[in-house]
Amino acid sequence: MQAQTRQLTLGEVSDRLDRLPTSRFHAKILIVAALSLLFDTLDTAVTGFVLASLRTTCHFDAKTIGVVSAIGLSGYLVGSFICGFIADHIGRKKTILFTLILYSIFSAWRGLSNTVGVFAFLNFFTWLFVGAESSTVPTYLAELWPSRTRGKLVGWMMAFFGAGIALSSVWSLLIIPTLGWRWALFLTAPFALIGGIMRSVLPESPRWLVRAGRLADAETFMVRIEAEVSKSSGPLLAPVIPGQRTEEPSARRAHTSELLRTPYRSITLMLWIAWFAEYGVLYTYQIFLPTILSAEGQSIVKSFGYTVAIYSSVIPGYILGGYVAEWLDRKYAILLAFVSIAAFGTLFGHSRSPAQVMTFAGLTVFFLSLGSTAIYTYTPELYPTEIRATAMGIASAWGRVGAVTMLLVFGHFFATLGKSLLFLIIDPVLIAAVIVVLCFGPSTRGKQLQET
């Protein structure tokens, strides 16, 4: 056993993970690891409803909402940026365990704030740990899933994001008008904390263990995983023939600085632009949608009700995104999403009747969800194990740079231009991203992580 452990390589671990048929093991790690993503998104989306409520009760204006949201997303940016380094050094499991517990504490603490400044301060730290969480969990899961079904499984993972967004509107509609905005924040924390505790049963990523030099631990986890999968789903698939492997990963360790060097520079810049566009638009919609509807003369309860209908499209958008990413390839799924977001976002900006608002906003949100799934699938596939979490975290941080930028711009000009400002902001950004992804995005569908 010792000789086998000493010879264990990242290529062998990758082949063994790819031989695993989809099983209850994959479903278990998906549910336990991704359940917290539901609460992450529930919290961030509920914040938008809380701010819309405070707009009427505390006389917030759209500019204040934009500033408070931008401060929170700045925390998300910092968390995404820093946590990638941490996950690459101390491991995926420890990182996703502690970030969720800390997020739960700060999330509930916001409900005790009495001023805008205190709320914004606590919101910064809440979203710092949400950003850390959301950028590390997808990396962890991508390293455990077989390449042949990774896109579909990422789609189901993203469905937890979608469930959080959809649940946020129902949650806010039931709690804020009756118990108040403070309880809408208090009551999300216990569920997230339970999810964090559940994560203690998850295995560490064997890929990370090999790169960390913990070969015995990697072998132990692989044997345990293979036994669990064989017991529930039958024999493993045929092994990869060594001569047929496209590329054997070298023993040389990559460094974070290589993200902007050959051969990663064009890929890194392409992803940063794609994340900037996707999440700049997504968070602008997510934060301001209740405010937009309320500002157009709808009551808080009615605007929340419209948002329930609009957000109902996010779950099918996330799930279908995984299948589209497998069918079209990740690159072309992103292009389809961006073109559709620009088209339907423009129609939403010009809509007048409630039916038009709900239809075009719903389709915009649907394709935003599809684009998120494709990007979350795509990014971890383009980097080696030793810098994968760091690259994912920095790319995610650029998404929040886009969000902060667009929130500040939208909040500043919303009073004069209204929701028609949306398409004036998002269309040029999305068109630029389409050109960059089309020109510089490689194909990754069905390839092992080290091959891409």
Side-chain angles (χ1 to χ4, degrees), residues 30 149-163 312-327 365-366 368-374 377:
L30 169 64
T149 58
R150 191 181 304 122
K152 296 175 183 177
L153 288 171
V154 169
W156 284 101
M157 177 195 74
M158 297 300 290
F160 285 83
F161 279 107
S312 66
S313 65
V314 297
I315 296 179
Y318 280 126
I319 295 175
L320 184 61
Y323 290 86
V324 173
E326 293 286 4
W327 175 51
V365 169
F366 173 87
L368 280 166
S369 304
L370 191 151
S372 289
T373 298
T377 306

Side-chain angles (χ1 to χ4, degrees), residues 72-363:
L73 283 166
S74 297
Y76 203 125
L77 187 159
V78 173
S80 298
F81 188 88
I82 294 176
C83 205
F85 295 96
I86 296 173
D88 280 332
H89 284 83
I90 71 170
R92 300 356 181 181
K93 178 179 175 178
K94 288 181 180 178
T95 304
I96 64 176
L97 178 62
F98 291 117
T99 53
L100 184 57
I101 293 173
L102 291 169
Y103 145 72
S104 302
I105 295 171
F106 278 98
S107 179
W109 198 357
R110 290 178 305 168
L112 299 175
S113 57
N114 291 315
T115 66
V116 176
V118 172
F119 184 92
F121 175 80
L122 295 174
N123 204 42
F124 175 89
F125 285 99
T126 300
W127 284 21
L128 185 149
F129 293 110
V130 170
E133 166 87 3
S134 298
S135 63
T136 309
V137 170
T139 300
Y140 170 76
L141 292 174
E143 291 184 347
L144 287 169
W145 283 335
S147 58
R148 65 185 180 279
T149 58
R150 191 181 304 122
K152 296 175 183 177
L153 288 171
V154 169
W156 284 101
M157 177 195 74
M158 297 300 290
F160 285 83
F161 279 107
I165 294 174
L167 181 59
S168 69
S169 53
V170 178
W171 187 277
S172 301
L173 183 62
L174 294 177
I175 296 177
I176 292 178
T178 55
L179 299 178
W181 65 270
R182 298 181 189 275
W183 281 101
L185 299 175
F186 289 149
L187 294 175
T188 60
F191 297 106
L193 188 60
I194 291 170
I197 295 172
M198 289 171 61
R199 287 184 176 180
S200 61
V201 304
L202 294 175
E204 180 56 90
S205 165
R207 297 177 192 269
W208 180 84
L209 289 170
V210 170
R211 281 303 192 188
R214 295 168 55 183
L215 303 183
D217 291 336
E219 177 66 23
T220 298
F221 278 122
M222 283 305 309
V223 170
R224 189 181 305 167
I225 291 169
E226 288 167 339
E228 182 177 346
V229 173
S230 297
K231 184 177 179 180
S232 64
S233 301
L236 307 183
L237 303 180
V240 175
I241 299 174
Q244 293 182 346
R245 184 181 293 129
T246 304
E247 179 183 346
E248 180 70 27
S250 75
R252 184 186 65 82
R253 294 186 65 85
H255 298 283
T256 304
S257 60
E258 295 188 31
L259 292 175
L260 292 175
R261 297 177 185 172
T262 304
Y264 300 116
R265 184 188 300 114
S266 62
I267 289 173
T268 297
L269 295 176
M270 178 272 298
L271 286 173
W272 288 359
I273 292 170
W275 278 82
F276 183 99
E278 168 69 23
Y279 284 92
V281 177
L282 187 149
Y283 276 101
T284 301
Y285 268 89
Q286 186 169 298
I287 295 296
F288 272 105
L289 187 57
T291 300
I292 290 171
L293 297 175
S294 176
E296 293 195 335
Q298 307 296 336
S299 68
I300 286 293
V301 173
K302 185 175 285 188
S303 68
F304 285 7
Y306 283 166
T307 309
V308 171
I310 293 168
Y311 282 174
S312 66
S313 65
V314 297
I315 296 179
Y318 280 126
I319 295 175
L320 184 61
Y323 290 86
V324 173
E326 293 286 4
W327 175 51
L328 282 182
D329 196 9
R330 289 51 157 148
K331 170 181 178 177
Y332 296 106
I334 293 171
L335 295 176
L336 171 65
F338 284 2
V339 170
S340 300
I341 294 164
F344 291 116
T346 300
L347 291 171
F348 171 67
H350 287 96
S351 60
R352 294 294 178 263
S353 69
Q356 290 177 335
V357 167
M358 287 191 289
T359 299
F360 295 131
L363 287 169

